[in-house]
Amino acid sequence: MTRVFSGVKPTGHLTLGNYLGAIRRWADVDQHQADALFCVVDLHALTVDHDPGRVRRLSRQAATLLLASGLDPELCTVFVQSHVDEHARLSYLLECVATDGEMRRMIQYKEKAARERERGGSVRLSLLTYPVLMAADILAYGTDEVPVGDDQTQHVELTRDLAVRFNQRYGHTFMVPRATRPQVAARVMNLQEPTSKMGKSDDVGPGVVYLLDEPDAVRRKIMRAVTDSGQDVLYDPEGRPGVSNLLEILAACEGGDPETLGGAYESYGALKKDTAEAVIELLRPVQERHKRLCADAAYVEAVLRDGAEKARKMARPRVDAAYRAIGLLAAG
């Protein structure tokens, strides 16, 4: 079977963008058609200033929401990155293959480093090198496909480059993966700043719908969403980003086409109302399952423990082979 790997970073509460852009596809498609691994990538949360207790809470919440969203441990492997040592082991080897120039060209590094400096903070070395850790996450498992949003495509390209370079220098060791993207709502935008991604790490306030938002909060945020000048409801992501974002969200919730949906509305208000109700209904079963899982913490812990054991067994032979290939002595 095709092997799929993807993950979520516990740097904030999971959002509607995370769900529509990735998690729903994992549950509806990937776990049924592939040998799929889904990971809470908690080591990536350490690349910026953080509160340790909050990272632990968000890691548990993210794992619980993945299960609440429909990931079935009988069909896929769900685990926490730091529970499998092979991620960190392989990351260092790949740092010895990557170059400083490659890291500094990463768009996300440039953006995040600039924001950190604007806040007067220092930029951690791990922020520069975290795309290599992401590559290790993927390559450790012989991954064929990586379902990602538009903003992560560059990192998958780096992963491909590192796999090819390692294979050429030290012998064939890694599969060369490819990125896959959903056709609709691959990148849900902030409701108040529709030219910016709806991100969980940096955005707060009315522009972000979180998976655990109460219905009234969802309705309020969407009804107050920024639209565009003019009155016509048209799907035009470049010229009309606000209304186009709402049409993409509605299309993703109902399985329609955003351009076709635009012709069905005569006012922004009607579009916002229908979009709000569609999102509320989409999130309702996820929130109900999340509540039940929170009452059964032992089950979630068992899933993560078993998932880490499965992941470890898959990753260790390949990482051990990489250690031998690059020139390290085998442990006695």
Side-chain angles (χ1 to χ4, degrees):
M1 293 180 69
T2 297
R3 180 162 289 174
V4 168
F5 177 95
S6 199
V8 293
K9 185 165 58 173
T11 50
H13 300 287
L14 295 181
T15 72
L16 178 66
N18 298 129
Y19 184 75
L20 291 179
I23 297 171
R24 184 174 64 170
R25 175 187 168 89
W26 301 349
D28 292 350
V29 178
D30 293 325
Q31 69 173 343
H32 298 284
Q33 297 183 357
D35 180 9
L37 299 99
F38 301 109
C39 181
V40 178
V41 287
D42 54 343
L43 294 175
H44 290 290
L46 311 186
T47 60
V48 294
D49 189 34
H50 63 278
D51 174 68
R54 186 170 187 265
V55 170
R56 283 191 289 270
R57 290 192 299 273
L58 288 174
S59 296
R60 178 179 293 277
Q61 183 187 86
T64 305
L65 277 169
L66 290 181
L67 298 174
S69 297
L71 293 188
D72 183 347
E74 297 296 322
L75 299 175
C76 65
T77 304
V78 181
F79 66 105
V80 175
Q81 179 190 32
S82 63
H83 295 176
V84 181
D85 293 344
E86 279 62 35
H87 292 255
R89 289 180 62 207
L90 182 55
S91 182
Y92 180 73
L93 295 195
L94 295 179
E95 284 186 13
C96 297
V97 176
T99 68
D100 177 76
E102 284 176 316
M103 296 300 97
R104 296 187 187 280
R105 285 194 295 272
M106 293 291 109
I107 294 171
Q108 284 209 0
Y109 169 72
K110 293 179 181 178
E111 293 175 348
K112 291 182 179 181
R115 286 198 297 267
E116 192 63 33
R117 292 189 184 102
E118 287 174 3
R119 289 195 288 258
S122 57
V123 180
R124 299 185 180 190
L125 179 61
S126 56
L127 184 63
L128 178 66
T129 60
Y130 97 90
V132 177
L133 176 57
M134 180 177 171
D137 298 338
I138 296 165
L139 296 180
Y141 297 100
T143 303
D144 299 294
E145 295 183 358
V146 188
V148 292
D150 294 340
D151 59 326
Q152 292 293 335
T153 303
Q154 187 184 33
H155 292 156
V156 179
E157 288 303 313
L158 173 70
T159 302
R160 291 170 55 84
D161 292 342
L162 294 179
V164 169
R165 191 177 307 154
F166 192 102
N167 291 345
Q168 289 175 342
R169 290 180 181 176
Y170 306 114
H172 185 78
T173 307
F174 299 116
M175 294 287 297
V176 180
R178 59 186 178 275
T180 59
R181 287 173 289 176
Q183 293 181 339
V184 177
R187 198 174 193 199
V188 177
M189 311 307 280
N190 188 295
L191 295 172
Q192 292 298 312
E193 299 178 25
T195 58
S196 301
K197 174 186 167 186
M198 185 185 285
K200 63 183 181 299
S201 302
D202 304 303
D203 300 325
V204 293
V208 183
V209 174
Y210 297 103
L211 295 190
L212 296 179
D213 274 349
E214 295 289 339
D216 285 347
V218 174
R219 193 175 288 110
R220 182 171 60 254
K221 290 177 180 181
I222 293 178
M223 293 305 296
R224 294 177 180 175
V226 169
T227 48
D228 311 287
S229 59
Q231 297 300 316
D232 294 334
V233 181
L234 299 173
Y235 182 68
D236 177 7
E238 294 296 325
R240 312 285 288 278
V243 69
S244 297
N245 187 39
L246 292 172
L247 288 168
E248 285 228 23
I249 292 171
L250 180 59
C253 289
E254 298 186 342
D257 174 69
E259 190 167 355
T260 301
L261 284 171
Y265 289 94
E266 296 182 356
S267 71
Y268 292 154
L271 171 62
K272 289 180 176 181
K273 183 175 182 298
D274 283 359
T275 302
E277 295 310 314
V279 171
I280 289 168
E281 289 307 309
L282 181 77
L283 298 184
R284 190 186 308 278
V286 175
Q287 293 176 352
E288 291 174 351
R289 288 192 294 265
H290 177 266
K291 185 176 182 179
R292 291 196 297 270
L293 288 167
C294 285
D296 192 359
Y299 170 76
V300 176
E301 290 176 3
V303 167
L304 297 179
R305 184 174 58 250
D306 293 346
E309 183 177 353
K310 286 173 60 180
R312 201 176 298 119
K313 289 179 179 178
M314 282 187 266
R316 182 163 295 168
R318 186 168 289 100
V319 175
D320 285 347
Y323 267 58
R324 292 192 298 271
I326 206 169
L328 300 177
L329 286 174

